[in-house]
Amino acid sequence: MSDHPFHVAGGFFAPTRHSPPETLTLQRPSLPEEAGSTPRLGSRRRKLWDIPHKFHCPVIGVCFGVEELRGLMAKNIQFPRDTSDFVLHTTAVGACETRTALAEALHKQLEKRFLLSIRSFAKAKDAETLHTLWRDAVQTGIELPAALWASWTHPACDALLEQDIYADIHMIQHQLGTGMRAELSMLKALQADNAQLRRQLDAARHEVESQRAEKSRETQQLGQRVAELRIELACKDAYAANLAGQLDLLRLSLPELKERQALARRASDAEARASALTAQAGEQGREIDYLRNRLRALSKHADETIQYLLADGEHPAAGPDSAPEDAGANLSGKCVLCVGGRTGSIDGYRQIVEQRGGRFLHHDGGLEESLHRIDGFLAAADLVICQAGCISHNAYWRVKEQCKRTGKPCLYMKNGGASGLSRLIDQNRSETALPAKV
């Protein structure tokens, strides 16, 4: 270490204990009374060496970090590497008492760093306004070093304001020391919490790694399964292609296959038509039987009427058998279509209609029979009896619309019994008395 001493505020500091300190002649620092009597420099801002010497310590300590100060001093003076931070601080404070190269370097750094705050504080034209700005900075605690430098170098800063700022920054440094101790206690607690959280984090990481490894194994298994399914699908596609090729070969070996298929379809259609014709023939056979029975009944009635006329010589209207003929004349020769109804009551419906001289047709209303066949039945019917509670909605609306369009009478039954049908026909003689089809 060098043998020359480093300046301190109000004295000197020996670099080592073994080397005796040399007596240095230092300028006596200004007292507060003398500082208060120092004339102001007009509107020009003060330099670092222009402010009272006792303010250099808080300026250097607050406005510069230790490493930053060490770097700036290394550019201007030479000192051993193992020089303590305290020695560097006191040396810088002593160098700022007069205009030196180090003082100019520190002044330029302060002016460059706190340029915005200097411009903001420059708006103050008197000490009172400057004091207000300083108090605002102290309360907020934001950019306190910049406010300190801008206030002490301001042209309007008088001795009273300098002392107030010095007192504030002095107490703030003490409070920072007290807060440092509290923060150290808090730091220890936070370090303990951090250690516990780190252990929890390590445990969570271990668990996550275990889950990730498990998911990785599941993903590999799923990938293998996907590969197996793809192979299986490729085999099935190849098998399907093989079957398609065999089918093509069969079609080439049997050139008349399409003709046979067409013949089979035509045979199926012909069988369906034959079944329909058979059903139609059965219906016509029943109609022929009905007409034969009706003819026999009419012949018998005619014979009885002739015998009665030959015996009494009276008008046939008074004959004994005329009443039954009148009772059934209202449906004579008419085709009556019954849509819906109970399955067990269909024979009773047929008997009632045939007793009244009508021809009976029936459709179940789309429950089992095709709904398209009902159009043919409606076209052939003279009277339609619709049991609304025993048919589908589509059949109901189709019957209603077609009867309305063609003007055919349509009677609606609520009771599904045979007696209800008989009463319905008797109650609507005006509807059932329409002339039959030719």
Side-chain angles (χ1 to χ4, degrees):
M1 180 180 291
S2 174
D3 293 334
H4 63 82
F6 296 91
H7 289 283
V8 295
F12 61 90
F13 182 81
T16 60
R17 295 182 180 179
H18 302 288
S19 59
E22 298 180 1
T23 304
L24 299 177
T25 302
L26 300 177
Q27 295 181 359
R28 184 174 59 87
S30 302
L31 296 177
E33 295 79 3
E34 297 175 359
S37 62
T38 303
R40 296 275 78 92
L41 301 178
S43 61
R44 184 178 64 85
R45 294 183 62 255
R46 292 186 289 181
K47 305 295 183 181
L48 178 60
W49 51 87
D50 292 333
I51 63 177
H53 183 55
K54 72 173 184 178
F55 299 155
H56 291 148
C57 181
V59 169
I60 300 300
V62 173
C63 297
F64 290 100
V66 175
E67 297 299 328
E68 181 185 9
L69 181 61
R70 185 180 290 270
L72 290 173
M73 292 181 66
K75 297 178 180 180
N76 294 274
I77 62 175
Q78 295 182 357
F79 56 88
R81 292 183 179 180
D82 57 350
T83 305
S84 65
D85 296 337
F86 175 74
V87 172
L88 294 178
H89 172 77
T90 54
T91 302
V93 171
C96 293
E97 187 175 3
T98 59
R99 184 173 183 174
T100 61
L102 179 58
E104 291 181 355
L106 296 176
H107 179 81
K108 291 180 181 180
Q109 184 68 15
L110 291 172
E111 291 289 310
K112 180 179 179 181
R113 181 186 300 175
F114 303 137
L115 180 60
L116 295 179
S117 298
I118 292 172
R119 290 179 179 177
S120 177
F121 276 67
K123 298 177 182 179
K125 302 303 181 182
D126 52 15
E128 183 178 357
T129 307
L130 183 61
H131 191 201
T132 302
L133 294 175
W134 165 253
R135 296 306 303 171
D136 293 340
V138 171
Q139 291 178 1
T140 57
I142 301 174
E143 296 294 337
L144 192 60
L148 177 65
W149 174 248
S151 299
W152 266 344
T153 59
H154 197 279
C157 183
D158 54 11
L160 181 60
L161 181 56
E162 287 176 350
Q163 289 299 123
D164 290 341
I165 295 174
Y166 181 79
D168 291 338
I169 200 65
H170 183 79
M171 294 308 299
I172 288 174
Q173 288 176 339
H174 285 301
Q175 292 172 4
L176 288 176
T178 304
M180 184 67 69
R181 290 192 295 271
E183 289 178 358
L184 287 175
S185 301
M186 186 181 297
L187 179 60
K188 292 180 180 179
L190 291 176
Q191 287 176 348
D193 294 340
N194 187 23
Q196 183 179 0
L197 292 175
R198 187 175 295 278
R199 290 192 295 268
Q200 295 177 359
L201 179 60
D202 293 337
R205 285 179 177 175
H206 180 70
E207 184 178 359
V208 168
E209 290 296 334
S210 301
Q211 293 179 357
R212 182 180 300 175
E214 183 179 357
K215 293 297 182 181
S216 178
R217 289 192 297 270
E218 293 180 357
T219 303
Q220 291 179 358
Q221 294 176 358
L222 290 176
Q224 294 176 358
R225 181 57 180 165
V226 169
E228 294 174 357
L229 291 176
R230 286 178 178 175
I231 294 173
E232 184 178 354
L233 180 61
C235 294
K236 289 184 178 180
D237 292 340
Y239 182 69
N242 187 17
L243 292 179
Q246 294 179 6
L247 180 61
D248 294 336
L249 292 176
L250 290 175
R251 287 176 177 174
L252 292 175
S253 62
L254 297 175
E256 68 278 4
L257 180 61
K258 293 184 178 180
E259 296 179 359
R260 290 183 180 181
Q261 292 177 348
L263 289 175
R265 287 194 296 270
R266 287 198 292 271
S268 178
D269 295 340
E271 185 178 356
R273 288 195 296 271
S275 299
L277 291 175
T278 302
Q280 185 177 1
E283 186 71 23
Q284 291 178 354
R286 288 192 295 269
E287 186 176 356
I288 290 172
D289 294 338
Y290 164 74
L291 292 176
R292 286 176 179 175
N293 294 332
R294 183 63 181 167
L295 180 61
R296 283 195 296 268
L298 291 176
S299 298
K300 182 179 178 181
H301 181 70
D303 293 341
E304 292 177 356
T305 303
I306 292 172
Q307 291 177 3
Y308 178 78
L309 292 175
L310 292 176
D312 297 337
E314 296 181 356
H315 196 274
D321 297 334
S322 60
E325 180 68 18
D326 292 341
N330 57 347
L331 294 179
S332 178
K334 294 181 180 179
C335 180
V336 179
L337 171 62
C338 183
V339 181
R342 299 173 183 173
T343 305
S345 302
I346 295 175
D347 294 336
Y349 298 161
R350 184 186 301 277
Q351 184 178 0
I352 290 172
V353 172
E354 292 179 352
Q355 285 178 356
R356 284 169 168 74
R359 183 162 56 91
F360 180 78
L361 294 177
H362 178 262
H363 192 280
D364 64 356
L367 299 179
E368 294 182 359
E369 298 183 62
S370 175
L371 193 60
H372 298 288
R373 295 183 57 193
I374 198 171
D375 296 333
F377 284 99
L378 290 171
D382 297 311
L383 174 65
V384 180
I385 298 176
C386 178
Q387 298 195 21
C390 303
I391 62 174
S392 64
H393 291 286
N394 293 334
Y396 174 81
W397 289 109
R398 181 172 290 191
V399 170
K400 185 174 181 180
E401 291 177 359
Q402 187 161 346
C403 290
K404 182 177 180 181
R405 186 174 63 254
T406 58
K408 292 184 179 181
C410 181
L411 304 180
Y412 297 93
M413 287 183 60
K414 294 182 179 180
N415 186 8
S419 59
L421 177 63
S422 179
R423 287 194 300 271
L424 182 65
I425 294 175
D426 294 338
Q427 292 173 0
N428 295 272
R429 290 180 177 275
S430 61
E431 298 288 340
T432 58
L434 294 175
K437 280 188 175 182
V438 180

